[in-house]
Amino acid sequence: MAQLPGHSGAAVSEYRNNAGDVRAVYADVLASFVGLGYDGMRERWRQANRVVELDAFSFALDPKEFRPVPTDWIPRIIEMAEWRNIKAGVEQRLRALNAFLLDVYAGAQTVVPDDVVYSCQYFYPELQGFRPAKDVFVHIYGIDLVQQRDGEYVVLEDNLRIPSGITYQLKTMEIARQMFPEICEGYDIVPYDIRDTYLDLFASLCDNPNPTCALLTDSKFGSAFFEHRYLSELLDIPLVEGSDLYIGYDGDVWMKTLDGDARVDLIYRRVEDLEIFVPHLTDAYLNGKVVLVNGMGTSVADDKLVFLWVPDMIRHYLDEEPILGQAVSYDLDDAASRAYVLENLDKMVLKTRQGYGGLGVYIMPDLAGNYRTQLTRQIIENPRAMIAQETIDFTRHVIFDEETGEYDDRYIDLRVYAVQNGRGEATAFPGGLTRVSQAGNRVTNNSSGGLCKPTWVVR
């Protein structure tokens, strides 16, 4: 029968303590999985993956190819004391980022250098002087964290533009309870319920107490269509494509329905370029005719270089010290920082400022080939195109490989989701989406082939 991977002092296993023993909170769940044996594990994995396929739980890398979300069913467990600190840090960061964006477009922003802000690819000059509904730019927020060897969680990235993946956490927990009930019942798992919070968010942003809402998708061929469909059903709001919406003569946004056209108060947008899908929707938004969740302009704070100044935003706007640390980062336009990075390039992670989904990320300790020469040239010729970060020694978690019947340790991160409503209240949802790297690397993004895991916060 397959056994858990042996302890290695070089690797940091989140489910083990410093002595290499399985942590108490994991003892029962891991014993239950190992106790299923090789045949039992393979059969449970087969059944769970069949549910994934039948539910069309997918992330489409290619419109012609259906790709069920690859999932490992051994859960990641976060104890309540850990979660309280994560939750407070995420909510603090969300409030500060929103205050920064409001200042960028409708105030006199002084925290981030102007040349950094104005060189952001997604800075929108047409939003200058614009204030969104209830002064909320960031409605739904995703933050990527990793746990270090010392147990502290640190921030790798902020995701404000169109953060995706929250339904993966919902779905993995739902299937885990269905397929592994005897294992889940041994733990007091905090429920992961977003419906009421989302609907309250929508209502809090609108003057209409019963707003007409719609979720705008890029069609069934989009990579995240499963999430769009799932959220539409969960929230009981229409799922619409661009052709289902139009702008009326008075500038209002209208939705075509079988019962006649209906005026739309709020659009939960899941597309990047509004004008491609609904001509003149940008004007309707800027004229206050419709609320957008998330709104335009948030991507300034998505910029990987702006990330460097988020701790200063927290101090400036909230008069607080940051609760969560973040990856040590370097502005390559600064001569001293650039020289240090070039001297220590083999120890760095380089990121293009507008990259996403694992694209434009170079983890230098893991790269072979002639990347060093190429990236050195890019840094020297265009230092503001990238940011450098210290490589973090972050944790791994156990997975079961159903093909080999063996257990393995892989790198994991955690994407926590939070919302901010029109009353200025921020709420982080317990746990989040744990993403697992492929064998032999540290890139965890689903679009790069990584796995998902159910994530439990336990009392």
Side-chain angles (χ1 to χ4, degrees):
M1 181 171 65
Q3 299 296 318
L4 296 175
H7 173 63
S8 168
V12 191
S13 296
E14 192 169 307
Y15 61 95
R16 296 183 185 275
N17 59 27
N18 291 335
D21 301 320
V22 172
R23 291 171 52 205
V25 72
Y26 278 102
D28 289 344
V29 70
L30 292 180
S32 297
F33 275 111
V34 172
L36 289 173
Y38 172 71
D39 291 336
M41 288 287 282
R42 289 197 68 180
E43 178 58 21
R44 290 292 187 96
W45 253 240
R46 186 193 67 79
Q47 292 175 2
N49 291 337
R50 181 57 176 160
V51 173
V52 168
E53 293 177 353
L54 291 174
D55 287 356
F57 180 26
S58 61
F59 183 88
L61 297 177
D62 184 331
K64 301 184 295 295
E65 179 183 356
F66 174 79
R67 179 179 180 265
V69 173
T71 307
D72 179 77
W73 300 103
I74 301 174
R76 181 204 209 144
I77 301 176
I78 300 174
E79 296 183 86
M80 184 56 73
E82 281 183 307
W83 169 246
R84 288 193 187 100
N85 190 66
I86 295 170
K87 172 181 168 66
V90 170
E91 293 171 356
Q92 177 193 58
R93 201 169 174 102
L94 170 53
R95 292 195 302 272
L97 285 164
N98 188 77
F100 163 71
L101 286 166
L102 193 62
D103 224 7
V104 165
Y105 290 112
Q109 190 279 132
T110 59
V111 178
V112 181
D114 287 343
D115 62 318
V116 173
V117 172
Y118 297 145
S119 63
C120 291
Q121 180 179 339
Y122 295 106
F123 170 74
Y124 291 102
E126 62 268 36
L127 265 66
Q128 292 286 267
F130 172 74
R131 303 182 79 97
K134 307 302 193 299
D135 283 349
V136 180
F137 268 104
V138 188
H139 307 105
I140 300 171
Y141 170 55
I143 180 173
D144 295 341
L145 307 166
V146 292
Q147 188 177 33
Q148 300 182 116
R149 181 181 287 270
D150 61 6
E152 294 297 314
Y153 284 86
V154 296
V155 183
L156 290 184
E157 292 183 4
D158 300 292
N159 301 273
L160 301 91
R161 192 161 69 242
I162 309 176
S164 64
I166 194 167
T167 59
Y168 294 3
Q169 165 66 350
L170 289 163
K171 198 64 181 176
T172 55
M173 290 189 70
E174 174 189 318
I175 296 175
R177 283 189 179 277
Q178 177 183 347
M179 302 309 302
F180 305 94
E182 74 280 16
I183 295 172
C184 296
E185 287 169 3
Y187 288 83
D188 185 6
I189 304 169
V190 178
Y192 198 88
D193 185 5
I194 71 169
R195 185 179 188 276
D196 289 346
T197 306
Y198 265 55
L199 293 178
D200 174 68
L201 161 68
F202 296 167
S204 73
L205 297 169
C206 299
D207 295 329
N208 182 354
N210 296 298
T212 298
C213 305
L215 192 155
L216 178 58
T217 180
D218 52 0
S219 87
K220 64 182 180 182
F221 299 110
S223 60
F225 182 71
F226 164 80
E227 177 152 281
H228 303 172
R229 176 177 59 84
Y230 189 107
L231 287 169
S232 169
E233 294 173 357
L234 177 70
L235 302 173
D236 193 26
I237 62 175
L239 182 63
V240 299
E241 297 184 25
S243 58
D244 298 315
L245 300 175
Y246 68 92
I247 311 302
Y249 71 91
D250 53 0
D252 290 337
V253 180
W254 293 82
M255 173 174 56
K256 303 170 188 175
T257 77
L258 295 176
D259 298 322
D261 296 353
R263 184 181 173 279
V264 178
D265 299 295
L266 179 144
I267 296 174
Y268 178 14
R269 72 160 182 146
R270 296 303 302 264
V271 303
E272 186 62 61
D273 193 328
L274 295 177
E275 294 303 304
I276 289 177
F277 293 92
V278 187
H280 308 298
L281 181 54
T282 301
D283 289 338
Y285 170 61
L286 296 180
N287 292 327
K289 297 290 188 176
V290 70
V291 175
L292 292 182
V293 175
N294 275 336
M296 292 173 59
T298 58
S299 41
V300 170
D302 253 351
D303 190 287
K304 303 298 189 294
L305 182 55
V306 172
F307 170 88
L308 197 153
W309 283 273
V310 176
D312 293 330
M313 295 178 200
I314 293 170
R315 298 183 184 100
H316 178 77
Y317 292 109
L318 307 182
D319 195 24
E320 299 171 359
E321 282 300 307
I323 295 169
L324 295 172
Q326 65 180 44
V328 177
S329 305
Y330 300 95
D331 177 3
L332 296 173
D333 199 49
D334 175 76
S337 296
R338 183 169 63 251
Y340 176 80
V341 168
L342 290 173
E343 289 172 5
N344 296 275
L345 197 59
D346 292 337
K347 303 175 183 178
M348 295 290 167
V349 176
L350 298 178
K351 298 179 179 180
T352 56
R353 289 176 62 178
Q354 306 302 333
Y356 62 93
L359 300 174
V361 177
Y362 302 91
I363 304 175
M364 300 306 293
D366 298 346
L367 288 181
N370 194 30
Y371 282 95
R372 183 185 178 102
T373 301
Q374 174 188 343
L375 290 169
T376 297
R377 183 181 300 114
Q378 289 183 30
I379 289 170
I380 293 171
E381 292 178 351
N382 190 4
R384 270 282 157 86
M386 287 185 164
I387 185 171
Q389 293 181 342
E390 300 276 0
T391 302
I392 295 176
D393 184 19
F394 62 100
T395 54
R396 303 185 188 204
H397 210 286
V398 64
I399 65 137
F400 175 72
D401 188 329
E402 60 179 318
E403 292 185 4
T404 66
E406 299 294 328
Y407 293 94
D408 190 15
D409 276 2
R410 302 275 184 84
Y411 287 102
I412 57 171
D413 72 357
L414 178 66
R415 175 169 288 186
V416 176
Y417 299 91
V419 302
Q420 182 172 224
N421 62 32
R423 299 181 296 276
E425 299 163 344
T427 303
F429 297 110
L433 175 64
T434 292
R435 301 179 299 181
V436 186
S437 72
Q438 291 183 309
N441 68 48
R442 303 182 220 202
V443 179
T444 59
N445 301 77
N446 301 116
S447 52
S448 300
L451 302 166
C452 292
K453 264 184 179 293
T455 306
W456 299 349
V457 172
V458 298
R459 300 183 179 94

